[in-house]
Amino acid sequence: MRRVAVIGTGHSKFMYNSPKTSVEMLSEVAMDAIMDASLKPKDIQAIFAGNGLGDFEEGQSSVSSYVADDIGCFNVPATRYEGACASGSMAVRDAYMWVASGFYDIVLVGGVERATAIGVPLATRAFCTFADSRYEFPAGFNYPASFGMLTYLYSTTYGVPLERLKELMAGVSVQSHEYGLQNPNAQIHQALTKEDVLKSPMISSPIQLHDCCPFTDGSAAIVLASEEIAKKLVKKPVYIAGVGQSSSGKISSQSKHYPRIRARELSVQQAYKMAGLTPQDIDVCELHDCFSIAAIIASEGLGFFEYGTAGEAWERGDTRLGGKIPINLSGGLKSKGHPIGATGVAQVCELTQQLTGNLVDLGRQVEGAKYGLTDTMGADGIVVNIILSAE
Amino acid sequence: MEYKLPFEVYNKNLKKGKLLGLKCNDCGTVTCPPTMACSECAGTNHEIHELSGMGKIVTFSVSYVGAEGRQNEHPLTIVLVKLDEGPWIMGNLIDLDPQKVTMEIIGKRVKAGSKMFPGDKYSAAAARPLFSFI
Ligand SMILES: [Zn+2]
């Protein structure tokens, strides 16, 4: 296996009601990433793209193939990845493998979603297709309910009273919105207070509106290349130092581990082992805060905080710029937005900028950041982690 | 390899209020809802086993926002129940107005009946456990 670098990035503005189609949204950022790497479409040997629900959203499947044609990467192998909210990072991991193995030298990885056009009820239904349609959807399952169940379980498992836990969860949303204000690509630019969160409508108890990320339209793309090529094309390549992926069955089958997510712990251990790093080595993290409780659970599973204590870490400021482990300085899924096919790729874009030192002007640069970790979780527990290294 | 307890058979029985699972001849674990391999040892040496349907609530959520086509079912109380035989299962709680449900229900003993989800454009009709307090 040889080293692989991120040599170009492209990131759309995340938004409600994109006037562009999925193929257009992905093509635009793909071309941005290719130009950022000082390459031409003819240099791309294969395309790997995450897209969760194009079929529901636009009656459009096989976006990867149409993107290849639209941007002039004629006839290259172009593959769609579906892993619910982890679709994009799955594409990154597989693309990495193809280059690391020596089979390809330069590939494009992207992701796109256009979830807002179909409205909240159908989008909610479409997301429910990620659940077990035989054994759990019939009970009225939906993802806010899934994380509502995890919240009560977290409260009883770790002895954190619900009222206290809700306050800590609100703190997670408040921080994400604060950083989202500094990200021009964020979907939501709105300062939030804890009171705003705790007064927002109940969605699925005890999850309220401002514990939830929005539905989002958006896209992101990166170009991956072998170390040899990367060194010729860019001054400061950012390397993929470790990757991990793991799967899970339906919610009820995870009883032995809940509220911990076993798949995350297995996935991130693969990534840490491959990179030869531990959680203490990570300088900046973008993790899967689809719900406020999800961020708390994720940060513990990634090894940053003791189980049952991460909410307090947010309260202390450990997750802020300058804190012990800055988390979701992009605004996270909550404020930046969550276009599920693109989310994992967008996290890699963000951390590539962090490790290149490009975010000083935007006021969210982690000074001297060397190692970054991404975390995405799809469906009932499809987890992918990517570790990026500045050298 | 065929499923020992496919969805169709499980569902037909749950519809009649009979909760079926699989009991492993090698490790004794009861798997419910059924999968192809034992949820503990991954073996396939197991038999169909009727569960009591009794258990206790481990967690829940009162859901106010339903997916398209299911909004009229909400609010509804979704529960995860630890069955006496070991496995957890997802269902709904009746007996209590969803708007009055609090964390007090966690740990309460319940027994499973069943109710049909009639299916929609995407998913087939399926029974789900409907729990009431014992
Ligand atoms: Zn067994």
Side-chain angles (χ1 to χ4, degrees):
Chain A
M1 299 257 279
R2 56 184 179 168
R3 296 184 83 201
V4 176
V6 182
I7 61 165
T9 64
H11 194 302
S12 79
K13 163 106 174 96
F14 287 1
M15 61 172 75
Y16 295 101
N17 302 316
S18 168
K20 301 206 168 109
T21 67
S22 290
V23 170
E24 289 169 346
M25 278 195 279
L26 182 48
S27 292
E28 290 187 355
V29 294
M31 205 58 117
D32 291 344
I34 291 168
M35 293 194 311
D36 187 37
S38 313
L39 293 169
K40 298 252 164 19
K42 67 170 174 44
D43 299 316
I44 301 297
Q45 295 171 294
I47 295 177
F48 303 77
N51 178 231
L53 295 163
D55 352 36
F56 277 85
E57 292 157 356
E58 299 181 316
Q60 179 68 73
S61 298
S62 305
V63 287
S64 325
S65 196
Y66 297 111
V67 167
D69 196 63
D70 269 29
I71 65 175
C73 292
F74 304 121
N75 308 110
V76 300
T79 311
R80 172 189 178 183
Y81 284 79
E82 188 281 294
C85 305
S87 300
S89 28
M90 265 181 161
V92 174
R93 178 174 172 274
D94 270 25
Y96 161 80
M97 296 288 182
W98 281 95
V99 178
S101 73
F103 196 93
Y104 293 127
D105 295 318
I106 304 174
V107 301
L108 177 82
V109 194
V112 66
E113 211 63 50
R114 197 185 184 198
T116 72
I118 55 175
V120 170
L122 180 54
T124 303
R125 178 65 187 90
F127 274 61
C128 285
T129 63
F130 298 134
D132 191 316
S133 68
R134 305 159 301 172
Y135 299 120
E136 297 195 336
F137 179 66
F141 177 93
N142 55 68
Y143 281 95
S146 174
F147 283 88
M149 289 190 277
L150 273 170
T151 306
Y152 290 125
L153 208 50
Y154 188 99
S155 168
T156 55
T157 303
Y158 303 119
V160 185
L162 184 66
E163 206 177 323
R164 171 71 175 143
L165 180 57
K166 289 278 299 172
E167 190 195 338
L168 294 169
M169 286 160 60
V172 174
S173 296
V174 168
Q175 181 189 303
S176 295
H177 275 242
E178 186 188 326
Y179 284 118
L181 283 169
Q182 289 163 271
N183 185 348
N185 285 330
Q187 180 177 7
I188 304 177
H189 288 127
Q190 176 197 358
L192 267 191
T193 64
K194 277 189 187 175
E195 291 67 42
D196 295 332
V197 180
L198 294 169
K199 279 185 189 153
S200 62
M202 191 61 80
I203 303 297
S204 196
S205 76
I207 298 288
Q208 292 173 256
L209 182 66
H210 276 305
D211 292 302
C212 310
C213 72
F215 289 111
T216 306
D217 299 349
S219 58
I222 57 176
V223 174
L224 296 184
S226 64
E227 180 174 23
E228 194 189 351
I229 290 172
K231 280 183 167 159
K232 282 182 204 152
L233 289 174
V234 287
K235 224 186 294 166
K236 222 174 153 257
V238 167
Y239 293 94
I240 294 182
V243 296
Q245 181 175 330
S246 188
S247 61
S248 307
K250 57 189 166 292
I251 300 294
S252 58
S253 76
Q254 299 181 52
S255 57
K256 262 194 281 181
H257 306 285
Y258 258 32
R260 288 166 59 169
I261 309 293
R262 178 76 177 142
R264 170 174 285 116
E265 297 175 15
L266 294 171
S267 167
V268 81
Q269 286 310 323
Q270 293 166 26
Y272 284 137
K273 190 175 170 206
M274 190 171 162
L277 298 173
T278 69
Q280 288 71 43
D281 297 315
I282 303 297
D283 300 306
V284 56
C285 173
E286 288 284 316
L287 58 72
H288 202 82
D289 60 324
C290 50
F291 299 92
S292 53
I293 188 72
I296 289 172
I297 290 171
S299 65
E300 294 169 1
L302 297 174
F304 296 133
F305 308 111
E306 292 296 317
Y307 292 101
T309 69
E312 292 161 30
W314 256 268
E315 190 176 59
R316 280 195 305 270
D318 288 359
T319 55
R320 297 180 63 84
L321 186 59
K324 179 186 161 203
I325 171 69
I327 291 176
N328 290 353
L329 300 186
S330 67
L333 281 53
K334 173 74 183 89
S335 172
K336 180 188 177 187
H338 182 26
I340 61 171
T343 291
V345 186
Q347 289 178 330
V348 173
C349 287
E350 170 74 12
L351 293 187
T352 300
Q353 298 303 326
Q354 278 287 1
L355 300 187
T356 324
N358 284 347
L359 295 172
V360 177
D361 293 348
L362 290 170
R364 61 176 202 277
Q365 179 65 48
V366 176
E367 212 187 310
K370 254 173 83 177
Y371 299 112
L373 171 68
T374 75
D375 167 80
T376 40
M377 182 171 116
D380 294 350
I382 300 166
V383 179
V384 181
N385 297 106
I386 312 276
I387 295 177
L388 295 162
S389 165
E391 54 195 39
Chain B
M1 175 182 280
E2 285 194 6
Y3 275 82
K4 199 150 277 172
L5 179 54
F7 170 70
E8 190 200 0
V9 178
Y10 170 89
N11 191 47
K12 208 181 282 175
N13 279 276
L14 182 56
K15 217 164 139 180
K16 293 185 287 191
K18 206 194 252 191
L19 186 59
L20 297 186
L22 293 162
K23 185 163 188 179
C24 181
N25 291 324
D26 294 331
C27 75
T29 299
V30 174
T31 301
C32 177
T35 43
M36 182 176 278
C38 170
S39 59
E40 180 63 33
C41 73
T44 52
N45 176 22
H46 43 203
E47 310 295 336
I48 293 178
H49 180 81
E50 185 176 345
L51 285 85
S52 65
M54 314 258 267
K56 60 173 193 177
I57 297 173
V58 286
T59 188
F60 71 98
S61 181
V62 179
S63 185
Y64 291 86
V65 180
E68 184 187 79
R70 300 194 69 173
Q71 290 106 325
N72 60 355
E73 293 178 55
H74 294 255
L76 96 168
T77 309
I78 301 167
V79 288
L80 272 174
V81 169
K82 181 181 184 358
L83 297 164
D84 287 352
E85 294 83 355
W88 288 16
I89 195 166
M90 194 181 290
N92 296 136
L93 178 73
I94 47 173
D95 278 5
L96 194 57
D97 175 356
Q99 315 217 41
K100 293 196 174 124
V101 169
T102 67
M103 281 181 81
E104 300 276 300
I105 69 166
I106 293 174
K108 291 265 162 47
R109 288 199 48 84
V110 288
K111 180 165 179 26
S114 85
K115 187 184 174 187
M116 284 304 286
F117 160 58
D120 64 7
K121 269 184 285 190
Y122 313 106
S123 292
R128 58 345 239 284
L130 200 61
F131 289 99
S132 46
F133 295 120
I134 298 173

